[in-house]
Amino acid sequence: MRAEKKRKKKKRWKSIVFIFLLIIAGTLAYSYVQFKQGVSQSEEKIEKEKKIEIEEYEFNGDKDSYGGTNVLLLGSDAASEGKTRADTIMVAQYHPDKGTYKLLSIMRDTYVDIPGYGKNKINAAFAFGGPELLRQTIKENFSIDIQYYSIIDFEGFVHLIDEAFPKGVEIEVEKAMSARIGVSLEKGLQRLDGEHLLGYVRFRHDAVGDFGRVERQQKTMKVLANQFMSFQTITKLPKLIGVMTPYINTNMNTKDILYIGKDFISTKNREIETLRIPVDGSYDDERIKGVGSVLAIDFEKNQRAIHEFLTK
């Protein structure tokens, strides 16, 4: 009698395990199909318009010594003449043990030592040697280890926003904007398509200049992250990643992106902490011959601020 009960119990557990494995296999298959559908959807649109060239870059980054995963986020104008400088420089950190997401912005006119090239604006490092030289520059000047990079050019940004948010991105525009951004924006809460959102994050022709632009970039990243959560279910994440893939140049694979993104989407009211470098009271405006206007910073003060920000 006992032997028969054991056999039944063992058989029941085998059935449970089989069903569990079947669910996992089905989920993986569904995710893969959704991912490929997202890629195909974007590639079809690209073929109808203008092909975006994706260049492979060397990147020899290391995992953060404090246990976080740091990603170098770059925005560039690939359509500009001559060598492309990084228009937007951010370091995004995900810490799996703490469950925290942080965003560090480095202003492009920050005056730093670029390995092998001497002192220059930090965004020149990308033009001189791509994301790898920029990684080395950030490591040498700010002691940040960066494992991954992701680059999106302005054209790709427009496509990405239109694909991921067909109804537009809801954002509060704090003032009327039009100077040198190719579009006109009115003050107030509104839904912006890719072209108008790009204009919003690029605008800098006012009294606060690049400082205001960096604030808008961080604000927009937070808004985008929160509106990704409106999908409400992690099952839609694979397709979204597929939609993004043709527009982003990165050394991250799909597994890396899913690993970092799933916790954010599955957690309500997820906050993204932000920091801007240079921090207030740590820089002077200077003009350097052959370079132009730069931000001459107090490295000790900024390194201390970065350390506190990434480790707290």
Side-chain angles (χ1 to χ4, degrees):
M1 191 72 173
R2 288 183 178 178
E4 185 177 348
K5 284 184 177 180
K6 285 183 178 180
R7 282 196 299 272
K8 286 183 178 179
K9 189 174 182 180
K10 189 175 182 181
K11 187 176 180 180
R12 185 167 66 250
W13 274 109
K14 283 183 176 179
S15 298
I16 292 172
V17 171
F18 176 75
I19 292 171
F20 179 70
L21 292 175
L22 198 63
I23 291 172
I24 292 177
T27 301
L28 291 174
Y30 173 80
S31 298
Y32 178 76
V33 170
Q34 288 292 299
F35 171 76
K36 296 301 288 185
Q37 284 182 355
V39 171
S40 298
Q41 182 177 319
S42 290
E43 287 182 341
E44 286 176 7
K45 184 168 184 177
I46 291 172
E47 287 175 5
K48 292 177 182 177
E49 298 176 4
K50 181 181 178 182
K51 182 67 177 176
I52 297 173
E53 297 295 333
I54 299 296
E55 180 180 354
E56 291 187 9
Y57 289 102
E58 174 189 15
F59 201 76
N60 302 313
D62 296 319
K63 188 171 178 63
D64 180 74
S65 57
Y66 301 107
T69 298
N70 292 331
V71 183
L72 179 61
L73 303 179
L74 302 173
S76 67
D77 188 356
S80 63
E81 296 181 3
K83 291 185 177 180
T84 303
R85 294 195 175 203
D87 192 70
T88 300
I89 303 172
M90 295 180 174
V91 177
Q93 185 201 69
Y94 166 61
H95 201 295
D97 295 333
K98 299 177 183 178
T100 56
Y101 292 79
K102 299 181 180 182
L103 193 63
L104 169 71
S105 294
I106 304 176
M107 296 192 65
R108 64 180 189 170
D109 291 341
T110 303
Y111 197 50
V112 297
D113 282 310
I114 299 177
Y117 292 88
K119 296 185 75 68
N120 208 320
K121 296 180 181 182
I122 193 169
N123 69 336
F126 182 73
F128 295 155
E132 170 58 16
L133 182 58
L134 182 53
R135 179 197 69 78
Q136 293 175 22
T137 301
I138 293 172
K139 171 66 175 176
E140 180 173 306
N141 290 272
F142 301 109
S143 300
I144 305 173
D145 287 309
I146 302 175
Q147 188 175 7
Y148 301 109
Y149 75 86
S150 290
I151 307 169
I152 182 166
D153 64 37
F154 295 149
E155 182 179 353
F157 178 86
V158 171
H159 284 299
L160 175 57
I161 295 302
D162 289 342
E163 286 290 347
F165 302 96
K167 294 183 180 179
V169 175
E170 187 174 80
I171 197 163
E172 181 75 35
V173 179
E174 61 271 21
K175 65 176 75 175
M177 304 175 187
S178 61
R180 300 185 186 180
I181 57 174
V183 295
S184 294
L185 300 172
E186 299 299 325
K187 180 180 178 180
L189 182 65
Q190 53 204 282
R191 286 191 172 274
L192 303 181
D193 62 12
E195 185 179 9
H196 287 79
L197 188 62
L198 175 62
Y200 176 74
V201 299
R202 293 195 71 193
F203 179 77
R204 63 188 180 95
H205 294 281
D206 60 3
V208 290
D210 266 343
F211 287 90
R213 182 171 68 164
V214 168
E215 286 184 11
R216 282 187 288 277
Q217 289 171 350
Q218 292 186 338
K219 171 184 171 181
T220 300
M221 291 292 287
K222 288 184 178 183
V223 168
L224 291 175
N226 287 331
Q227 291 188 29
F228 279 151
M229 294 174 67
S230 67
F231 288 101
Q232 295 179 347
T233 174
I234 206 166
T235 59
K236 292 186 179 180
L237 184 59
K239 184 172 183 180
L240 180 60
I241 293 172
V243 167
M244 295 167 60
T245 297
Y247 298 126
I248 296 179
N249 182 338
T250 182
N251 65 335
M252 300 181 72
N253 59 40
T254 305
K255 182 179 70 174
D256 296 327
I257 300 172
L258 281 169
Y259 173 70
I260 294 174
K262 64 180 177 63
D263 287 344
F264 187 91
I265 290 180
S266 62
T267 303
K268 292 182 178 179
N269 301 318
R270 173 71 73 184
E271 288 294 325
I272 298 179
E273 298 177 60
T274 59
L275 179 71
R276 186 207 69 220
I277 296 298
V279 295
D280 290 340
S282 72
Y283 65 91
D284 291 307
D285 293 302
E286 293 186 5
R287 177 166 287 275
I288 306 297
K289 186 177 180 180
V291 178
S293 297
V294 303
L295 299 173
I297 72 171
D298 181 329
F299 283 96
E300 184 178 346
K301 184 175 290 187
N302 281 280
Q303 288 169 358
R304 187 165 57 248
I306 290 171
H307 175 79
E308 292 174 356
F309 176 68
L310 294 180
T311 57
K312 68 179 179 181

mmCIF file of all heavy atoms in Angstrom, residues 245-288:
data_model
loop_
_atom_site.group_PDB
_atom_site.id
_atom_site.type_symbol
_atom_site.label_atom_id
_atom_site.label_comp_id
_atom_site.label_asym_id
_atom_site.label_seq_id
_atom_site.Cartn_x
_atom_site.Cartn_y
_atom_site.Cartn_z
ATOM 1 N N THR A 245 16.130 46.845 -31.418
ATOM 2 C CA THR A 245 17.410 46.290 -31.863
ATOM 3 C C THR A 245 17.985 46.911 -33.136
ATOM 4 O O THR A 245 19.173 47.265 -33.174
ATOM 5 C CB THR A 245 17.298 44.762 -32.013
ATOM 6 O OG1 THR A 245 17.007 44.197 -30.727
ATOM 7 C CG2 THR A 245 18.587 44.157 -32.547
ATOM 8 N N PRO A 246 17.213 47.072 -34.229
ATOM 9 C CA PRO A 246 17.806 47.623 -35.456
ATOM 10 C C PRO A 246 18.252 49.077 -35.341
ATOM 11 O O PRO A 246 18.977 49.563 -36.204
ATOM 12 C CB PRO A 246 16.659 47.499 -36.478
ATOM 13 C CG PRO A 246 15.764 46.441 -35.933
ATOM 14 C CD PRO A 246 15.821 46.642 -34.454
ATOM 15 N N TYR A 247 17.811 49.782 -34.300
ATOM 16 C CA TYR A 247 18.127 51.198 -34.171
ATOM 17 C C TYR A 247 19.269 51.481 -33.199
ATOM 18 O O TYR A 247 19.696 52.621 -33.070
ATOM 19 C CB TYR A 247 16.886 51.956 -33.691
ATOM 20 C CG TYR A 247 15.723 51.889 -34.645
ATOM 21 C CD1 TYR A 247 14.476 51.446 -34.218
ATOM 22 C CD2 TYR A 247 15.870 52.270 -35.976
ATOM 23 C CE1 TYR A 247 13.403 51.392 -35.093
ATOM 24 C CE2 TYR A 247 14.798 52.207 -36.847
ATOM 25 C CZ TYR A 247 13.570 51.775 -36.405
ATOM 26 O OH TYR A 247 12.510 51.725 -37.272
ATOM 27 N N ILE A 248 19.746 50.458 -32.483
ATOM 28 C CA ILE A 248 20.736 50.690 -31.432
ATOM 29 C C ILE A 248 21.997 49.873 -31.693
ATOM 30 O O ILE A 248 21.932 48.685 -31.979
ATOM 31 C CB ILE A 248 20.152 50.328 -30.052
ATOM 32 C CG1 ILE A 248 18.978 51.256 -29.716
ATOM 33 C CG2 ILE A 248 21.217 50.442 -28.972
ATOM 34 C CD1 ILE A 248 18.316 50.967 -28.397
ATOM 35 N N ASN A 249 23.141 50.535 -31.584
ATOM 36 C CA ASN A 249 24.442 49.879 -31.698
ATOM 37 C C ASN A 249 24.918 49.575 -30.277
ATOM 38 O O ASN A 249 25.179 50.486 -29.495
ATOM 39 C CB ASN A 249 25.425 50.810 -32.413
ATOM 40 C CG ASN A 249 26.788 50.159 -32.613
ATOM 41 O OD1 ASN A 249 27.167 49.231 -31.918
ATOM 42 N ND2 ASN A 249 27.528 50.672 -33.586
ATOM 43 N N THR A 250 25.026 48.303 -29.932
ATOM 44 C CA THR A 250 25.378 47.927 -28.566
ATOM 45 C C THR A 250 26.136 46.616 -28.532
ATOM 46 O O THR A 250 26.004 45.786 -29.442
ATOM 47 C CB THR A 250 24.113 47.821 -27.685
ATOM 48 O OG1 THR A 250 24.492 47.503 -26.332
ATOM 49 C CG2 THR A 250 23.157 46.766 -28.216
ATOM 50 N N ASN A 251 26.938 46.423 -27.472
ATOM 51 C CA ASN A 251 27.587 45.138 -27.264
ATOM 52 C C ASN A 251 26.803 44.274 -26.282
ATOM 53 O O ASN A 251 27.259 43.201 -25.883
ATOM 54 C CB ASN A 251 29.027 45.329 -26.766
ATOM 55 C CG ASN A 251 29.085 45.978 -25.380
ATOM 56 O OD1 ASN A 251 28.167 46.689 -24.968
ATOM 57 N ND2 ASN A 251 30.180 45.748 -24.674
ATOM 58 N N MET A 252 25.610 44.739 -25.908
ATOM 59 C CA MET A 252 24.740 43.941 -25.035
ATOM 60 C C MET A 252 23.946 42.955 -25.886
ATOM 61 O O MET A 252 23.455 43.307 -26.953
ATOM 62 C CB MET A 252 23.770 44.845 -24.268
ATOM 63 C CG MET A 252 24.434 45.867 -23.373
ATOM 64 S SD MET A 252 23.225 46.879 -22.469
ATOM 65 C CE MET A 252 22.620 45.681 -21.276
ATOM 66 N N ASN A 253 23.795 41.725 -25.400
ATOM 67 C CA ASN A 253 22.937 40.780 -26.109
ATOM 68 C C ASN A 253 21.530 40.817 -25.520
ATOM 69 O O ASN A 253 21.276 41.461 -24.498
ATOM 70 C CB ASN A 253 23.531 39.357 -26.084
ATOM 71 C CG ASN A 253 23.734 38.835 -24.670
ATOM 72 O OD1 ASN A 253 22.912 39.041 -23.781
ATOM 73 N ND2 ASN A 253 24.847 38.149 -24.451
ATOM 74 N N THR A 254 20.627 40.135 -26.166
ATOM 75 C CA THR A 254 19.218 40.165 -25.745
ATOM 76 C C THR A 254 19.058 39.680 -24.316
ATOM 77 O O THR A 254 18.257 40.225 -23.543
ATOM 78 C CB THR A 254 18.363 39.303 -26.684
ATOM 79 O OG1 THR A 254 18.557 39.748 -28.029
ATOM 80 C CG2 THR A 254 16.893 39.423 -26.344
ATOM 81 N N LYS A 255 19.826 38.676 -23.927
ATOM 82 C CA LYS A 255 19.738 38.134 -22.567
ATOM 83 C C LYS A 255 20.116 39.194 -21.531
ATOM 84 O O LYS A 255 19.452 39.320 -20.500
ATOM 85 C CB LYS A 255 20.658 36.921 -22.435
ATOM 86 C CG LYS A 255 20.603 36.243 -21.075
ATOM 87 C CD LYS A 255 21.512 35.036 -21.017
ATOM 88 C CE LYS A 255 22.955 35.474 -21.030
ATOM 89 N NZ LYS A 255 23.899 34.336 -20.832
ATOM 90 N N ASP A 256 21.177 39.967 -21.828
ATOM 91 C CA ASP A 256 21.596 41.039 -20.913
ATOM 92 C C ASP A 256 20.483 42.070 -20.731
ATOM 93 O O ASP A 256 20.188 42.495 -19.615
ATOM 94 C CB ASP A 256 22.844 41.754 -21.460
ATOM 95 C CG ASP A 256 24.060 40.847 -21.550
ATOM 96 O OD1 ASP A 256 24.179 39.957 -20.695
ATOM 97 O OD2 ASP A 256 24.870 41.041 -22.469
ATOM 98 N N ILE A 257 19.887 42.468 -21.853
ATOM 99 C CA ILE A 257 18.843 43.505 -21.810
ATOM 100 C C ILE A 257 17.622 43.010 -21.051
ATOM 101 O O ILE A 257 17.031 43.735 -20.243
ATOM 102 C CB ILE A 257 18.460 43.937 -23.238
ATOM 103 C CG1 ILE A 257 19.688 44.511 -23.957
ATOM 104 C CG2 ILE A 257 17.350 44.988 -23.206
ATOM 105 C CD1 ILE A 257 19.470 44.780 -25.424
ATOM 106 N N LEU A 258 17.222 41.758 -21.298
ATOM 107 C CA LEU A 258 16.070 41.180 -20.597
ATOM 108 C C LEU A 258 16.345 41.107 -19.095
ATOM 109 O O LEU A 258 15.468 41.407 -18.277
ATOM 110 C CB LEU A 258 15.763 39.790 -21.143
ATOM 111 C CG LEU A 258 14.998 39.724 -22.463
ATOM 112 C CD1 LEU A 258 15.002 38.303 -22.997
ATOM 113 C CD2 LEU A 258 13.566 40.221 -22.281
ATOM 114 N N TYR A 259 17.563 40.719 -18.742
ATOM 115 C CA TYR A 259 17.936 40.575 -17.336
ATOM 116 C C TYR A 259 17.825 41.906 -16.600
ATOM 117 O O TYR A 259 17.295 41.983 -15.483
ATOM 118 C CB TYR A 259 19.365 40.036 -17.245
ATOM 119 C CG TYR A 259 19.939 39.999 -15.842
ATOM 120 C CD1 TYR A 259 19.464 39.096 -14.902
ATOM 121 C CD2 TYR A 259 20.948 40.890 -15.466
ATOM 122 C CE1 TYR A 259 19.981 39.067 -13.625
ATOM 123 C CE2 TYR A 259 21.472 40.865 -14.181
ATOM 124 C CZ TYR A 259 20.992 39.948 -13.269
ATOM 125 O OH TYR A 259 21.494 39.925 -11.999
ATOM 126 N N ILE A 260 18.304 42.967 -17.233
ATOM 127 C CA ILE A 260 18.260 44.289 -16.611
ATOM 128 C C ILE A 260 16.854 44.878 -16.641
ATOM 129 O O ILE A 260 16.403 45.509 -15.683
ATOM 130 C CB ILE A 260 19.256 45.244 -17.303
ATOM 131 C CG1 ILE A 260 20.693 44.771 -17.048
ATOM 132 C CG2 ILE A 260 19.088 46.681 -16.807
ATOM 133 C CD1 ILE A 260 21.744 45.552 -17.811
ATOM 134 N N GLY A 261 16.142 44.661 -17.755
ATOM 135 C CA GLY A 261 14.844 45.306 -17.939
ATOM 136 C C GLY A 261 13.682 44.657 -17.222
ATOM 137 O O GLY A 261 12.719 45.328 -16.855
ATOM 138 N N LYS A 262 13.753 43.345 -16.978
ATOM 139 C CA LYS A 262 12.587 42.649 -16.416
ATOM 140 C C LYS A 262 12.237 43.132 -15.015
ATOM 141 O O LYS A 262 11.055 43.297 -14.680
ATOM 142 C CB LYS A 262 12.811 41.132 -16.395
ATOM 143 C CG LYS A 262 13.942 40.669 -15.508
ATOM 144 C CD LYS A 262 14.082 39.158 -15.552
ATOM 145 C CE LYS A 262 15.278 38.699 -14.717
ATOM 146 N NZ LYS A 262 15.141 39.022 -13.293
ATOM 147 N N ASP A 263 13.255 43.377 -14.181
ATOM 148 C CA ASP A 263 12.983 43.838 -12.823
ATOM 149 C C ASP A 263 12.377 45.232 -12.803
ATOM 150 O O ASP A 263 11.504 45.530 -11.984
ATOM 151 C CB ASP A 263 14.275 43.842 -11.989
ATOM 152 C CG ASP A 263 14.727 42.448 -11.612
ATOM 153 O OD1 ASP A 263 13.908 41.520 -11.732
ATOM 154 O OD2 ASP A 263 15.886 42.276 -11.218
ATOM 155 N N PHE A 264 12.821 46.076 -13.725
ATOM 156 C CA PHE A 264 12.289 47.440 -13.769
ATOM 157 C C PHE A 264 10.812 47.422 -14.139
ATOM 158 O O PHE A 264 9.988 48.065 -13.497
ATOM 159 C CB PHE A 264 13.075 48.281 -14.767
ATOM 160 C CG PHE A 264 12.694 49.736 -14.732
ATOM 161 C CD1 PHE A 264 13.365 50.605 -13.894
ATOM 162 C CD2 PHE A 264 11.646 50.223 -15.498
ATOM 163 C CE1 PHE A 264 12.993 51.943 -13.828
ATOM 164 C CE2 PHE A 264 11.277 51.547 -15.448
ATOM 165 C CZ PHE A 264 11.951 52.413 -14.605
ATOM 166 N N ILE A 265 10.471 46.682 -15.187
ATOM 167 C CA ILE A 265 9.092 46.663 -15.670
ATOM 168 C C ILE A 265 8.166 45.952 -14.682
ATOM 169 O O ILE A 265 6.994 46.308 -14.544
ATOM 170 C CB ILE A 265 9.023 46.008 -17.059
ATOM 171 C CG1 ILE A 265 9.671 46.940 -18.082
ATOM 172 C CG2 ILE A 265 7.592 45.710 -17.485
ATOM 173 C CD1 ILE A 265 9.659 46.412 -19.499
ATOM 174 N N SER A 266 8.697 44.948 -13.973
ATOM 175 C CA SER A 266 7.846 44.161 -13.077
ATOM 176 C C SER A 266 7.650 44.807 -11.710
ATOM 177 O O SER A 266 6.894 44.309 -10.888
ATOM 178 C CB SER A 266 8.435 42.755 -12.896
ATOM 179 O OG SER A 266 9.722 42.828 -12.298
ATOM 180 N N THR A 267 8.325 45.926 -11.444
ATOM 181 C CA THR A 267 8.213 46.599 -10.153
ATOM 182 C C THR A 267 7.497 47.931 -10.308
ATOM 183 O O THR A 267 7.890 48.767 -11.108
ATOM 184 C CB THR A 267 9.609 46.852 -9.542
ATOM 185 O OG1 THR A 267 10.289 45.595 -9.416
ATOM 186 C CG2 THR A 267 9.490 47.494 -8.173
ATOM 187 N N LYS A 268 6.439 48.127 -9.524
ATOM 188 C CA LYS A 268 5.670 49.365 -9.613
ATOM 189 C C LYS A 268 6.437 50.515 -8.951
ATOM 190 O O LYS A 268 7.191 50.328 -8.004
ATOM 191 C CB LYS A 268 4.308 49.188 -8.933
ATOM 192 C CG LYS A 268 3.374 48.223 -9.664
ATOM 193 C CD LYS A 268 2.031 48.146 -8.965
ATOM 194 C CE LYS A 268 1.075 47.222 -9.715
ATOM 195 N NZ LYS A 268 -0.240 47.129 -9.030
ATOM 196 N N ASN A 269 6.196 51.720 -9.494
ATOM 197 C CA ASN A 269 6.769 52.948 -8.930
ATOM 198 C C ASN A 269 8.293 52.890 -8.805
ATOM 199 O O ASN A 269 8.869 53.361 -7.833
ATOM 200 C CB ASN A 269 6.146 53.235 -7.557
ATOM 201 C CG ASN A 269 4.640 53.393 -7.629
ATOM 202 O OD1 ASN A 269 4.113 54.017 -8.537
ATOM 203 N ND2 ASN A 269 3.947 52.804 -6.666
ATOM 204 N N ARG A 270 8.919 52.285 -9.808
ATOM 205 C CA ARG A 270 10.378 52.193 -9.814
ATOM 206 C C ARG A 270 10.981 53.580 -10.049
ATOM 207 O O ARG A 270 10.619 54.273 -10.975
ATOM 208 C CB ARG A 270 10.831 51.238 -10.911
ATOM 209 C CG ARG A 270 12.324 51.183 -11.120
ATOM 210 C CD ARG A 270 13.032 50.498 -9.981
ATOM 211 N NE ARG A 270 12.798 49.065 -10.027
ATOM 212 C CZ ARG A 270 13.236 48.211 -9.119
ATOM 213 N NH1 ARG A 270 13.897 48.675 -8.086
ATOM 214 N NH2 ARG A 270 12.994 46.923 -9.222
ATOM 215 N N GLU A 271 11.895 53.981 -9.183
ATOM 216 C CA GLU A 271 12.520 55.288 -9.292
ATOM 217 C C GLU A 271 13.894 55.177 -9.958
ATOM 218 O O GLU A 271 14.622 54.211 -9.740
ATOM 219 C CB GLU A 271 12.678 55.921 -7.913
ATOM 220 C CG GLU A 271 11.365 56.401 -7.285
ATOM 221 C CD GLU A 271 10.739 57.557 -8.041
ATOM 222 O OE1 GLU A 271 11.489 58.409 -8.563
ATOM 223 O OE2 GLU A 271 9.498 57.605 -8.107
ATOM 224 N N ILE A 272 14.245 56.184 -10.747
ATOM 225 C CA ILE A 272 15.583 56.278 -11.318
ATOM 226 C C ILE A 272 16.268 57.484 -10.694
ATOM 227 O O ILE A 272 15.803 58.614 -10.841
ATOM 228 C CB ILE A 272 15.539 56.434 -12.843
ATOM 229 C CG1 ILE A 272 14.890 55.211 -13.496
ATOM 230 C CG2 ILE A 272 16.953 56.621 -13.394
ATOM 231 C CD1 ILE A 272 14.793 55.320 -15.008
ATOM 232 N N GLU A 273 17.359 57.244 -9.970
ATOM 233 C CA GLU A 273 18.114 58.338 -9.359
ATOM 234 C C GLU A 273 19.033 58.946 -10.414
ATOM 235 O O GLU A 273 19.569 58.228 -11.264
ATOM 236 C CB GLU A 273 18.934 57.820 -8.182
ATOM 237 C CG GLU A 273 18.095 57.239 -7.061
ATOM 238 C CD GLU A 273 18.966 56.670 -5.954
ATOM 239 O OE1 GLU A 273 19.758 57.451 -5.375
ATOM 240 O OE2 GLU A 273 18.871 55.468 -5.691
ATOM 241 N N THR A 274 19.240 60.257 -10.366
ATOM 242 C CA THR A 274 20.056 60.931 -11.373
ATOM 243 C C THR A 274 21.118 61.818 -10.727
ATOM 244 O O THR A 274 20.954 62.303 -9.607
ATOM 245 C CB THR A 274 19.196 61.789 -12.313
ATOM 246 O OG1 THR A 274 18.490 62.780 -11.551
ATOM 247 C CG2 THR A 274 18.201 60.932 -13.081
ATOM 248 N N LEU A 275 22.211 62.006 -11.474
ATOM 249 C CA LEU A 275 23.270 62.914 -11.059
ATOM 250 C C LEU A 275 23.878 63.534 -12.312
ATOM 251 O O LEU A 275 24.019 62.856 -13.333
ATOM 252 C CB LEU A 275 24.365 62.159 -10.286
ATOM 253 C CG LEU A 275 25.558 63.011 -9.817
ATOM 254 C CD1 LEU A 275 25.133 63.953 -8.691
ATOM 255 C CD2 LEU A 275 26.708 62.110 -9.346
ATOM 256 N N ARG A 276 24.254 64.814 -12.220
ATOM 257 C CA ARG A 276 24.922 65.489 -13.332
ATOM 258 C C ARG A 276 26.357 65.824 -12.947
ATOM 259 O O ARG A 276 26.625 66.271 -11.831
ATOM 260 C CB ARG A 276 24.185 66.794 -13.663
ATOM 261 C CG ARG A 276 24.715 67.518 -14.906
ATOM 262 C CD ARG A 276 24.454 69.003 -14.812
ATOM 263 N NE ARG A 276 25.261 69.640 -13.785
ATOM 264 C CZ ARG A 276 24.832 70.599 -12.965
ATOM 265 N NH1 ARG A 276 23.606 71.036 -13.023
ATOM 266 N NH2 ARG A 276 25.660 71.132 -12.042
ATOM 267 N N ILE A 277 27.263 65.547 -13.883
ATOM 268 C CA ILE A 277 28.666 65.915 -13.714
ATOM 269 C C ILE A 277 29.018 66.965 -14.759
ATOM 270 O O ILE A 277 28.765 66.742 -15.940
ATOM 271 C CB ILE A 277 29.590 64.684 -13.856
ATOM 272 C CG1 ILE A 277 29.310 63.681 -12.741
ATOM 273 C CG2 ILE A 277 31.059 65.090 -13.867
ATOM 274 C CD1 ILE A 277 29.585 64.204 -11.341
ATOM 275 N N PRO A 278 29.565 68.124 -14.328
ATOM 276 C CA PRO A 278 30.004 68.450 -12.974
ATOM 277 C C PRO A 278 28.850 68.821 -12.043
ATOM 278 O O PRO A 278 27.833 69.349 -12.493
ATOM 279 C CB PRO A 278 30.937 69.647 -13.195
ATOM 280 C CG PRO A 278 30.388 70.312 -14.429
ATOM 281 C CD PRO A 278 29.913 69.194 -15.302
ATOM 282 N N VAL A 279 29.043 68.535 -10.756
ATOM 283 C CA VAL A 279 28.031 68.895 -9.766
ATOM 284 C C VAL A 279 28.124 70.397 -9.505
ATOM 285 O O VAL A 279 29.125 71.048 -9.831
ATOM 286 C CB VAL A 279 28.227 68.096 -8.457
ATOM 287 C CG1 VAL A 279 28.009 66.613 -8.700
ATOM 288 C CG2 VAL A 279 29.605 68.340 -7.852
ATOM 289 N N ASP A 280 27.085 70.943 -8.924
ATOM 290 C CA ASP A 280 27.055 72.378 -8.625
ATOM 291 C C ASP A 280 28.244 72.786 -7.750
ATOM 292 O O ASP A 280 28.637 72.065 -6.825
ATOM 293 C CB ASP A 280 25.757 72.745 -7.903
ATOM 294 C CG ASP A 280 24.540 72.659 -8.819
ATOM 295 O OD1 ASP A 280 24.730 72.689 -10.051
ATOM 296 O OD2 ASP A 280 23.417 72.545 -8.302
ATOM 297 N N GLY A 281 28.820 73.953 -8.056
ATOM 298 C CA GLY A 281 29.917 74.481 -7.263
ATOM 299 C C GLY A 281 31.247 73.790 -7.475
ATOM 300 O O GLY A 281 32.156 73.935 -6.653
ATOM 301 N N SER A 282 31.382 73.033 -8.584
ATOM 302 C CA SER A 282 32.622 72.267 -8.789
ATOM 303 C C SER A 282 33.279 72.561 -10.135
ATOM 304 O O SER A 282 34.112 71.777 -10.588
ATOM 305 C CB SER A 282 32.311 70.763 -8.709
ATOM 306 O OG SER A 282 31.585 70.344 -9.857
ATOM 307 N N TYR A 283 32.921 73.672 -10.756
ATOM 308 C CA TYR A 283 33.468 73.950 -12.083
ATOM 309 C C TYR A 283 33.536 75.456 -12.343
ATOM 310 O O TYR A 283 32.880 76.262 -11.675
ATOM 311 C CB TYR A 283 32.601 73.292 -13.165
ATOM 312 C CG TYR A 283 31.201 73.861 -13.244
ATOM 313 C CD1 TYR A 283 30.908 74.934 -14.088
ATOM 314 C CD2 TYR A 283 30.168 73.352 -12.449
ATOM 315 C CE1 TYR A 283 29.631 75.478 -14.137
ATOM 316 C CE2 TYR A 283 28.891 73.889 -12.501
ATOM 317 C CZ TYR A 283 28.640 74.948 -13.339
ATOM 318 O OH TYR A 283 27.374 75.495 -13.384
ATOM 319 N N ASP A 284 34.346 75.803 -13.354
ATOM 320 C CA ASP A 284 34.437 77.180 -13.840
ATOM 321 C C ASP A 284 34.317 77.158 -15.361
ATOM 322 O O ASP A 284 34.802 76.229 -16.021
ATOM 323 C CB ASP A 284 35.779 77.815 -13.455
ATOM 324 C CG ASP A 284 35.900 78.047 -11.966
ATOM 325 O OD1 ASP A 284 35.000 78.679 -11.390
ATOM 326 O OD2 ASP A 284 36.898 77.576 -11.380
ATOM 327 N N ASP A 285 33.675 78.175 -15.912
ATOM 328 C CA ASP A 285 33.620 78.326 -17.369
ATOM 329 C C ASP A 285 34.932 78.941 -17.842
ATOM 330 O O ASP A 285 35.337 80.000 -17.356
ATOM 331 C CB ASP A 285 32.448 79.224 -17.776
ATOM 332 C CG ASP A 285 31.103 78.581 -17.481
ATOM 333 O OD1 ASP A 285 30.857 77.484 -18.003
ATOM 334 O OD2 ASP A 285 30.315 79.175 -16.717
ATOM 335 N N GLU A 286 35.586 78.268 -18.779
ATOM 336 C CA GLU A 286 36.847 78.776 -19.309
ATOM 337 C C GLU A 286 36.859 78.659 -20.828
ATOM 338 O O GLU A 286 36.082 77.888 -21.412
ATOM 339 C CB GLU A 286 38.040 78.000 -18.724
ATOM 340 C CG GLU A 286 38.246 78.204 -17.243
ATOM 341 C CD GLU A 286 39.508 77.533 -16.727
ATOM 342 O OE1 GLU A 286 40.274 76.992 -17.565
ATOM 343 O OE2 GLU A 286 39.723 77.532 -15.496
ATOM 344 N N ARG A 287 37.719 79.408 -21.448
ATOM 345 C CA ARG A 287 37.906 79.308 -22.901
ATOM 346 C C ARG A 287 39.354 78.909 -23.159
ATOM 347 O O ARG A 287 40.276 79.579 -22.728
ATOM 348 C CB ARG A 287 37.572 80.629 -23.594
ATOM 349 C CG ARG A 287 37.813 80.615 -25.110
ATOM 350 C CD ARG A 287 37.161 81.784 -25.789
ATOM 351 N NE ARG A 287 35.717 81.616 -25.850
ATOM 352 C CZ ARG A 287 35.081 80.934 -26.799
ATOM 353 N NH1 ARG A 287 35.768 80.318 -27.749
ATOM 354 N NH2 ARG A 287 33.776 80.841 -26.804
ATOM 355 N N ILE A 288 39.513 77.782 -23.878
ATOM 356 C CA ILE A 288 40.833 77.238 -24.175
ATOM 357 C C ILE A 288 41.111 77.408 -25.669
ATOM 358 O O ILE A 288 40.283 77.028 -26.508
ATOM 359 C CB ILE A 288 40.922 75.748 -23.806
ATOM 360 C CG1 ILE A 288 40.510 75.527 -22.340
ATOM 361 C CG2 ILE A 288 42.324 75.215 -24.064
ATOM 362 C CD1 ILE A 288 41.392 76.187 -21.331
#
